[in-house]
């Protein structure tokens, strides 16, 4: 899954801050509440819209690569439709998002490098991070998992099977199931799964599905790049709690990185939500986790606190200003003229990266895994 493209972005400053988008019903997807719609049909239709956001992200990434913001030799392998150059502010947003998450991932992997680690990417879609990591470090001490809808995993596996550039970086033997939905290798696994089936067991639900080959003893980083935001708030929280309270014991060092929109209540935020709703895209957790403080509190609620744990969050504007060097800012400025500085800062303040972590409960478990994250700090407001 992916961060949605914002149509009509440059008109947002002058747009009225009225409530709903045109044609939007009470459920936020343009349905007439008076119509009787089969719930399963409606759910499948909503899922299809979410699945298609992955190609939006692929095209946006390819745009940022072609213009020169990013180096990613694998991005073009996953673009199934014709390329489309994005607005400069969208390209810059893709760049900052990628750089920020890469920094958190690289800091995690470089801390205590002799310790084997694990990454689980939720709603990974056509993300290239595994291949970029492998191209830089031929034999990383890592197991990498990607979870997404079967439709999206089939597309990714099809691209992998047809691309020697991709397959050369997957450690053999490689196994693909008969539906071309699941892939396994010694250090890379693609899982076809509806994340809503992952939930902590209780008296009223069935035993949750357990993704194969996940090692619950390894220090693990969960990544959600505009994935959980498409789930109902209770479902999104259940997915995270599945990992934090059910799959991984308290003895395992664990962390979560989120990239999501924020600030839906101001004029720009209302236009952003309305524009997306006009495409049938509903950001279901946005109002519950609408600010940097709400995202930090969310991390605390997931157990990333105390005893060596912690949490932080920064909006994209702050990430660009504080995490990108002056020399790199100058390079980015030369890549593409950015006339809409005010619009860029408005957009950048409506997306954030939030991260939380915990040490293992055993003495010394993961004691230094998160030292690099602690040093990064965060944004106080």
């Amino acid at each position: 899954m992916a961060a949605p493209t914002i149509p009509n972005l440059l008109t947002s400053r002058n747009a009225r801050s009225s409530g709903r988008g045109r044609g939007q019903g009470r459920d936020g997807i343009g349905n007439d509440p008076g119509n009787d719609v089969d719930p399963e049909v409606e759910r499948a239709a909503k899922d299809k819209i979410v699945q298609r956001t992955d190609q939006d992200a692929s095209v946006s990434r390819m745009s940022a690569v072609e213009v020169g913001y990013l180096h990613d030799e694998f991005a073009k392998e996953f673009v199934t439709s014709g390329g489309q150059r994005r607005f400069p502010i969208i390209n810059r947003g893709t760049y900052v998002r990628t750089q920020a998450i890469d920094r958190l991932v690289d800091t995690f992997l470089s801390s205590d490098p002799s310790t084997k680690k694990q990454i689980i990417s939720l709603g990974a879609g056509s993300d290239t991070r595994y291949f970029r990591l492998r191209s830089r470090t031929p034999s990383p001490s890592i197991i990498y998992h990607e979870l997404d809808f079967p439709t999206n995993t089939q597309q990714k596996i099809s691209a992998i099977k047809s691309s020697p550039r991709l397959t050369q970086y997957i450690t053999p033997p490689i196994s693909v199931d008969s539906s071309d939905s699941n892939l396994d290798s010694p250090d890379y696994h693609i899982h076809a799964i509806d994340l809503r089936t992952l939930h902590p067991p209780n008296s009223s639900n069935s035993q949750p599905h357990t993704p194969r080959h996940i090692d619950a003893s390894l220090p693990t980083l969960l990544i959600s790049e505009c994935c959980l935001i498409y789930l109902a708030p209770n479902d999104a929280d259940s997915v995270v709690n599945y990992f934090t309270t059910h799959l991984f014991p308290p003895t395992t060092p664990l962390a979560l990185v989120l990239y999501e929109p924020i600030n839906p209540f101001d004029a720009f935020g209302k236009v952003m939500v309305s524009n997306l709703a006009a495409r049938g895209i509903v950001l279901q957790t946005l109002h519950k986790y609408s600010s940097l403080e709400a995202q930090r509190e969310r991390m605390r609620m997931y157990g990333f606190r105390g005893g060596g744990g912690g949490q932080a969050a920064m909006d994209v504007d702050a990430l660009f200003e504080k995490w990108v060097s002056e020399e790199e800012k100058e390079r980015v400025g030369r890549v593409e003229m950015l006339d809409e500085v005010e619009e860029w800062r408005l957009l950048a303040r409506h997306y954030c990266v939030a991260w939380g972590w915990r040490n293992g409960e055993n003495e010394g478990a993961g004691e230094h895994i998160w030292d690099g994250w602690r040093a990064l700090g965060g944004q106080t407001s």
Side-chain angles (χ1 to χ4, degrees), residues 123-320:
S126 55
D127 183 64
T128 61
R129 184 164 283 109
Y130 167 80
F131 298 97
R132 291 188 288 118
L133 287 172
R134 283 299 310 271
S135 68
R136 299 200 317 262
T137 309
S139 300
S141 183
I142 182 175
I143 299 177
Y144 203 103
H145 297 266
E146 297 181 347
L147 283 61
D148 211 333
F149 285 113
T151 297
N152 288 353
T153 63
Q154 287 171 350
Q155 292 175 350
K156 186 161 201 174
I157 291 171
S158 176
I160 290 171
K161 291 171 66 176
S162 62
S163 171
R165 182 193 299 269
L166 297 174
T167 54
Q168 69 175 314
Y169 288 108
I170 303 177
T171 304
I174 304 170
S175 172
V176 177
D177 70 357
S178 59
S179 67
D180 280 351
S181 299
N182 297 277
L183 180 149
D184 292 303
S185 80
D187 61 5
Y188 183 45
H189 304 275
I190 298 177
H191 306 259
I193 188 170
D194 184 337
L195 293 178
R196 291 166 298 199
T197 65
L198 302 179
H199 48 73
N202 59 45
S203 59
S204 62
N205 63 35
S206 59
Q207 188 72 13
H209 174 82
T210 300
R212 46 189 205 286
H213 304 303
I214 289 180
D215 189 334
S217 68
L218 295 180
T220 297
L221 172 58
L222 306 170
I223 301 175
S224 168
E225 295 189 60
C226 266
C227 168
L228 295 175
I229 196 148
Y230 295 118
L231 303 183
N234 287 343
D235 288 337
D237 292 341
S238 288
V239 170
V240 178
N241 287 329
Y242 165 80
F243 290 104
T244 60
T245 66
H246 172 67
L247 188 58
F248 288 94
T251 52
T252 299
L254 187 65
L256 170 65
V257 170
L258 294 170
Y259 171 78
E260 292 189 348
I262 53 172
N263 296 329
F265 302 115
D266 62 16
F268 185 95
K270 290 177 181 178
V271 172
M272 177 178 70
V273 170
S274 176
N275 285 340
L276 293 170
R279 298 173 56 200
I281 297 172
V282 183
L283 308 177
Q284 297 197 59
T285 66
L286 178 57
H287 287 79
K288 182 175 182 180
Y289 302 119
S290 61
S291 66
L292 294 177
E293 178 52 37
Q295 292 285 2
R296 289 190 289 266
E297 179 57 34
R298 178 185 195 176
M299 293 294 176
R300 288 189 282 268
M301 181 185 71
Y302 292 152
F304 301 119
R305 62 183 187 274
Q311 65 294 132
M314 297 175 71
D315 65 36
V316 167
D317 182 45
L319 287 165
F320 182 72

Side-chain angles (χ1 to χ4, degrees), residues 68-69 92 95 320-321 324-338:
Y69 286 90
R92 184 173 288 196
Y95 162 80
F320 182 72
E321 293 300 321
V324 178
S325 69
E326 292 304 316
E327 180 181 2
E328 178 66 359
K329 286 190 182 84
E330 291 178 6
R331 185 195 73 82
V332 168
R334 293 191 299 269
V335 165
E336 190 173 40
M337 181 67 68
L338 183 68

